[in-house]
Amino acid sequence: MFLKERQNAIANMVKSNGRVAVADLAEQFAVTVDCIRKDLRQLESQGALKRVYGGAISITETPERTVYKRFSTNTAEKQAVAAKAYDLIAPGDIIFLDISTTNLELARLLATGHKRCIVVSNMMDSLQVMAENPALTVMCPGGNVSLDLNGFVGTLTIANLKPITFDKSFIGAIGIDLLTGEVSTFEMDDGMVKHTVLENTDQVYLMADSHKFDSRGNYNFASLSEFEGLITEAVTTKQKKALAKFDIELI
């Protein structure tokens, strides 16, 4: 099979199946793993797919940019991540929850719990949920309102967050690149808020269900090594091996 024929076949497989694995493709086409990786790099440059750790995914599988459209996706996984995060919060903590549908699940746990702590969030949905619990001191940093994110971002948000030292922060992401360790989101303004909080928090945790390993945003706001821990509900043996090269605790 010629190079172009193989690449066309790979592109069609991604389009039909949603994703492909490098090892499987190498075996199927009787070529080396490096050869398949070169194919995927070229196909990605042509806009035919997105490379992820161990393979590639269809561009059509890119997550929704608008937050409310992600509320009902992977709910069980997000709740499992949120439950682990909730156990890390101690009474008296000053914590930050960023704009994240997984953090919304954590906000719901805080809203029904009995932990007395100060919670700062730039996500309107989380603020509304937590405000119902008198045990919580709920604060909003303000800023420019993003309709897609239903939250606050921009220079005013960043300026109001910078003076605060958080005990723990819980940060969401659109995608995690297990090859480079880059953690991404869609909006630059959103990413800048996340990175600001990273710099003034004692313990920062990345909230990511396992689907985030097969996804990628447009703006890289951090590296895995900048986080205290990665909170997820499940990882494969291959993913765990990839994460081992980064200085991050798997929770």
Side-chain angles (χ1 to χ4, degrees):
M1 180 178 286
F2 293 112
L3 172 65
K4 188 62 177 176
E5 291 177 319
R6 184 176 68 244
Q7 290 182 352
N8 286 340
I10 292 172
N12 288 332
M13 290 172 65
V14 172
K15 186 176 181 180
S16 299
N17 303 325
R19 64 189 63 215
V20 291
V22 169
D24 293 341
L25 292 174
E27 182 178 353
Q28 180 173 343
F29 293 106
V31 295
T32 65
V33 167
D34 285 340
C35 182
I36 293 297
R37 286 176 178 151
K38 290 177 183 177
D39 288 339
L40 296 183
R41 281 197 294 269
Q42 188 168 345
L43 288 167
E44 184 179 48
S45 70
Q46 297 169 1
L49 49 77
K50 277 184 176 290
R51 286 186 302 144
V52 295
Y53 180 76
I57 61 172
S58 170
I59 292 176
T60 57
E61 289 199 352
T62 300
E64 288 284 351
R65 288 177 177 267
T66 306
V67 165
Y68 76 85
K69 291 183 179 179
R70 301 199 301 268
F71 280 172
S72 59
T73 61
N74 307 320
T75 303
E77 291 89 339
K78 292 173 183 177
Q79 289 173 343
V81 172
K84 290 184 178 183
Y86 183 78
D87 288 340
L88 296 173
I89 299 171
D93 275 349
I94 300 176
I95 67 173
F96 179 80
L97 309 185
D98 76 338
I99 298 173
S100 158
T101 52
T102 307
N103 268 334
L104 179 56
E105 297 297 339
L106 177 54
R108 287 171 175 150
L109 291 177
L110 285 164
T112 56
H114 303 286
K115 294 182 179 181
R116 292 189 173 275
C117 53
I118 298 173
V119 189
V120 181
S121 179
N122 61 329
M123 185 175 186
M124 292 186 190
D125 302 275
S126 293
L127 292 167
Q128 290 174 330
V129 166
M130 293 186 294
E132 299 177 4
N133 188 343
L136 302 175
T137 299
V138 182
M139 301 172 61
C140 171
N144 297 328
V145 175
S146 167
L147 294 179
D148 283 345
L149 299 174
N150 200 32
F152 300 95
V153 293
T155 55
L156 180 59
T157 305
I158 291 171
N160 288 338
L161 287 171
K162 275 186 176 180
I164 306 173
T165 300
F166 296 102
D167 295 307
K168 301 180 181 79
S169 289
F170 300 90
I171 305 296
I174 289 296
I176 300 171
D177 190 327
L178 291 178
L179 288 173
T180 64
E182 292 173 335
V183 184
S184 59
T185 187
F186 279 135
E187 303 287 343
M188 182 182 294
D189 284 344
D190 179 39
M192 292 174 70
V193 170
K194 295 174 189 289
H195 192 75
T196 297
V197 173
L198 269 168
E199 294 179 330
N200 59 342
T201 302
D202 291 335
Q203 298 176 24
V204 190
Y205 296 95
L206 178 59
M207 305 278 280
D209 65 74
S210 55
H211 296 86
K212 301 298 173 67
F213 299 131
D214 291 331
S215 183
R216 186 182 301 176
N218 304 109
Y219 182 78
N220 298 322
F221 67 89
S223 170
L224 281 172
S225 59
E226 295 181 72
F227 294 89
E228 177 84 11
L230 167 61
I231 307 176
T232 188
E233 92 289 357
V235 289
T236 65
T237 301
K238 185 179 290 187
Q239 289 168 342
K240 190 173 182 179
K241 184 178 179 181
L243 286 165
K245 63 184 177 182
F246 303 104
D247 185 21
I248 186 170
E249 180 185 0
L250 185 59
I251 300 172

